[in-house]
Amino acid sequence: MSNIDNLKSTGLKATLPRLKILEIFQSGDQRHMTAEDVFRVLLNEHSDIGLATVYRVLTQFEQAGILERSHFESGKAVYELNEGQHHDHLVCTSCGKVEEFYDAEIERRQQMIAKDKGWTLQDHAMSLYGLCGDCQQKR
């Protein structure tokens, strides 16, 4: 399915800004990006898409389920493609690097804890904060 078809299937028109921003998430090296990160990539590509448009498109993509938004320690919204699979995050408090992980035992324990407390989980997000290997070596 093409990017144009992807956008149309969510009810969004395939405008140039939307196509460019979707392409950045699909083909970029960086998986977790702020609006400013996306804007920086567009500037490097000599695109004339403004920061306000980037914010607007990211919000539209989140509402359409194309992107997921997280808030890590920086307080800035960070976006990633919604690929339909749950995962948690390790976040470096020094450089901001984000690494994804999935652990079936952690997921099982969370369900057990919720059940023991009389809760039914609908969703959750777990972010662990620390220093990545590169930042540990620099210290």
Side-chain angles (χ1 to χ4, degrees):
M1 186 182 274
S2 73
N3 285 345
I4 292 173
D5 292 334
N6 280 337
L7 289 175
K8 286 183 179 178
S9 72
T10 64
L12 294 172
K13 291 182 182 177
T15 63
L16 181 62
R18 288 178 182 149
L19 290 169
K20 291 290 291 175
I21 292 170
L22 183 56
E23 181 184 322
I24 288 169
F25 278 95
Q26 290 176 329
S27 62
D29 295 334
Q30 196 174 343
R31 184 159 160 74
H32 301 85
M33 301 179 78
T34 65
E36 290 80 8
D37 294 331
V38 173
F39 183 62
R40 209 170 301 117
V41 171
L42 291 168
L43 284 177
N44 290 340
E45 294 177 354
H46 306 292
S47 172
D48 62 353
I49 298 169
L51 185 57
T53 300
V54 171
Y55 276 105
R56 188 169 47 257
V57 169
L58 293 177
T59 299
Q60 292 166 345
F61 282 3
E62 179 190 6
Q63 291 171 345
I66 296 169
L67 296 178
E68 289 184 354
R69 179 177 56 170
S70 299
H71 289 279
F72 298 129
E73 189 174 88
S74 69
K76 290 185 178 181
V78 178
Y79 297 87
E80 64 182 297
L81 281 175
N82 178 359
E83 296 175 331
Q85 295 181 325
H86 173 76
H87 59 268
D88 296 306
H89 297 98
L90 291 163
V91 183
C92 182
T93 56
S94 180
C95 71
K97 176 182 176 181
V98 178
E99 188 171 330
E100 298 173 357
F101 72 95
Y102 175 82
D103 185 293
E105 180 64 17
I106 290 173
E107 299 303 316
R108 188 185 66 75
R109 291 281 300 136
Q110 289 172 338
Q111 291 293 332
M112 281 180 45
I113 291 166
K115 184 178 178 185
D116 289 347
K117 302 280 185 186
W119 288 71
T120 300
L121 291 183
Q122 295 176 328
D123 194 11
H124 79 277
M126 183 168 69
S127 300
L128 304 175
Y129 297 91
L131 294 175
C132 69
D134 292 340
C135 289
Q136 288 178 59
Q137 287 180 353
K138 291 176 186 174
R139 290 188 175 198

